[in-house]
Amino acid sequence: MRHSPHNHGGATVKYMKTDRSDILACLRNSEDYVSGQQLCDRLGVSRTAVWKAINRLKEEGYQIESVPSRGYRLVESPADIYSESEIVSRLHTKWAGQRLIFLESTGSTNPDAKRFAEEGAPHGTIVVADRQTAGRGRRGRSWESPAGSSIYFTIVIRPLFSPEKASMVTLVMALSVAEAIHEVTGLETGIKWPNDIVVNGKKVVGILTEMSMTPEMHEMQFLVAGVGVNVNQNRAEDFPEEIRKAATSLQIEAGHQFDRAGLLACILARFEEDYETFERALTLSELKERYESRLVGRNAVVRVLDPEGEYTGTSRGITETGELIVERENGERIRVYAGEVSVRGLYGYAE
Ligand code: ATP
């Protein structure tokens, strides 16, 4: 059975939207006091439930003023508060992140998301963690995932297309994340094909997309796209020695902290829109130009680290199906498939 992306999947994962996130959203969207009665009516809950939720929010560090006969007002949110209610209260998407599982710590959000997807989690479900103990990149490489500073999330996608198109989702996500970071931080972001985002030549984001096939191996059951963003590491020494030269964070580059919940909400909003654009065409035709405008090393010489033999050539952009076009010295144009291949600038990771 074919289905629309917005209504398929079972409902075994609890919808995590809480009174707290609704109250937060109401308070944040109002300049003035919001009365207890208004909150009760809006949420359809009792006065006691509102009172309890407000107290929980205060415990989490929100400064909420309550004035008898006027109501409640959000005075200040704690800096970079990263919790389920904060993230949910910031979301303005239709499906991306509308089911959310927040974990303080986990091995890696990709296997978690796969497990939830196997149990029926719908399209757009996300698993978010504050810390990963076994974060992974491609080919089993590790992704450094300390607590309290970064975004790690994985989104479940139930594709309506065939497996050979799946690798394009990585490029769609790279574009959405690169533009969201630019929108929120003002930093210039580049995309190092296919799946890394760099700022000033250093990596701030890694993306790992994996797919799960039906037992007969004909159809894709679902995809998971995992994203790691280095946000608030405050100095290069926060990264382990081996990756210090090639890794950076948004705070290091911009000189100040960012709030992770707001950035995550922006990423999800952009991804939702870009994914829908991709899903209409089933190619990157409408996204290619934006992707290429951020592609690092375009029209420069790159080294392709193909396990079957390394070579150099000039990077000429991407095809509508997401391969990198590399022009050899003899003019031959090679379409490089992501798979096992890495690409490097001639003078460094992303030059
Ligand atoms: P390339 O194609 O350039 O070889 P990749 O896309 O294969 O890179 P991934 O496998 O996605 O890279 O990411 C894992 C690698 O990223 C690790 O081997 C390490 O070098 C680097 N890395 C690990 N953690 C971080 C981090 N938090 N920030 C930046 N880079 C990291």
Side-chain angles (χ1 to χ4, degrees):
M1 191 186 77
R2 280 321 206 175
H3 32 226
S4 109
H6 308 308
N7 64 7
H8 51 63
T12 47
V13 176
K14 203 170 122 232
Y15 186 34
M16 301 299 273
K17 202 160 180 142
T18 60
D19 296 344
R20 263 176 292 153
S21 52
D22 285 332
I23 289 177
L24 257 186
C26 285
L27 296 182
R28 191 176 290 116
N29 296 334
S30 168
E31 303 261 296
D32 203 359
Y33 290 86
V34 184
S35 75
Q37 192 56 47
Q38 276 173 307
L39 291 172
C40 295
D41 294 347
R42 226 46 96 84
L43 276 63
V45 297
S46 69
R47 270 306 245 273
T48 323
V50 167
W51 183 81
K52 275 193 186 151
I54 295 267
N55 279 347
R56 280 292 299 278
L57 288 169
K58 286 183 181 166
E59 279 162 27
E60 286 177 14
Y62 295 90
Q63 273 187 49
I64 298 172
E65 193 185 13
S66 31
V67 176
S69 82
R70 295 192 72 184
Y72 301 102
R73 193 170 69 91
L74 180 63
V75 181
E76 205 176 298
S77 301
D80 189 31
I81 182 152
Y82 202 51
S83 64
E84 181 201 313
S85 28
E86 179 68 20
I87 298 166
V88 173
S89 77
R90 299 294 197 89
L91 289 180
H92 36 90
T93 50
K94 291 176 292 190
W95 51 266
Q98 285 299 327
R99 305 264 169 127
L100 185 144
I101 295 113
F102 184 87
L103 305 167
E104 289 296 335
S105 177
T106 189
S108 168
T109 55
N110 269 23
D112 291 340
K114 284 187 211 164
R115 219 179 40 249
F116 286 119
E118 267 150 24
E119 290 168 7
H123 185 67
T125 299
I126 62 170
V127 179
V128 186
D130 183 49
R131 164 176 182 250
Q132 297 183 120
T133 52
R136 286 180 306 125
R138 300 196 297 165
R139 287 158 283 164
R141 297 159 81 190
S142 68
W143 185 261
E144 189 49 33
S145 311
S149 61
S150 301
I151 294 175
Y152 316 108
F153 78 93
T154 298
I155 187 163
V156 174
I157 293 162
R158 297 202 177 263
L160 303 173
F161 47 79
S162 49
E164 74 279 3
K165 299 196 167 62
S167 59
M168 283 188 264
V169 174
T170 302
L171 281 80
V172 176
M173 182 60 90
L175 175 65
S176 311
V177 178
E179 290 189 344
I181 291 176
H182 177 65
E183 182 183 321
V184 170
T185 67
L187 292 167
E188 264 328 312
T189 47
I191 303 175
K192 191 177 106 20
W193 181 90
N195 65 332
D196 291 336
I197 295 172
V198 299
V199 173
N200 296 325
K202 291 182 167 187
K203 184 155 154 178
V204 284
V205 178
I207 298 170
L208 177 66
T209 309
E210 296 176 282
M211 79 174 135
S212 163
M213 303 293 286
T214 54
E216 317 80 57
M217 299 296 267
H218 297 314
E219 268 194 274
M220 239 186 317
Q221 244 176 333
F222 56 81
L223 279 172
V224 296
V227 179
V229 188
N230 302 328
V231 184
N232 289 329
Q233 286 90 341
N234 63 32
R235 40 198 197 117
E237 291 70 37
D238 288 350
F239 291 100
E241 181 88 55
E242 325 81 79
I243 61 170
R244 214 167 279 168
K245 269 211 202 101
T248 191
S249 76
L250 302 178
Q251 171 163 204
I252 293 170
E253 297 305 318
H256 58 91
Q257 285 216 359
F258 293 98
D259 118 69
R260 286 176 288 166
L263 177 57
L264 176 56
C266 183
I267 291 172
L268 292 168
R270 284 189 166 264
F271 179 69
E272 182 172 280
E273 193 181 326
D274 293 337
Y275 184 82
E276 287 182 358
T277 303
F278 159 69
E279 211 181 28
R280 276 193 299 273
L282 290 183
T283 70
L284 301 172
S285 53
E286 285 173 53
L287 303 169
K288 179 174 171 315
E289 213 171 285
R290 279 159 53 206
Y291 185 99
E292 285 183 328
S293 73
R294 294 190 180 269
L295 182 62
V296 287
R298 190 172 181 201
N299 295 324
V301 178
V302 294
R303 199 149 42 95
V304 180
L305 311 180
D306 189 326
E308 297 190 351
E310 294 185 19
Y311 56 89
T312 56
T314 307
S315 158
R316 294 292 186 207
I318 58 165
T319 65
E320 289 197 349
T321 44
E323 294 94 34
L324 185 72
I325 303 167
V326 176
E327 191 176 302
R328 304 294 303 271
E329 239 168 51
N330 61 8
E332 183 196 357
R333 286 188 160 211
I334 300 179
R335 294 157 62 117
V336 183
Y337 294 85
E340 296 288 295
V341 173
S342 290
V343 178
R344 294 277 179 276
L346 267 205
Y347 304 105
Y349 173 72
E351 265 99 306

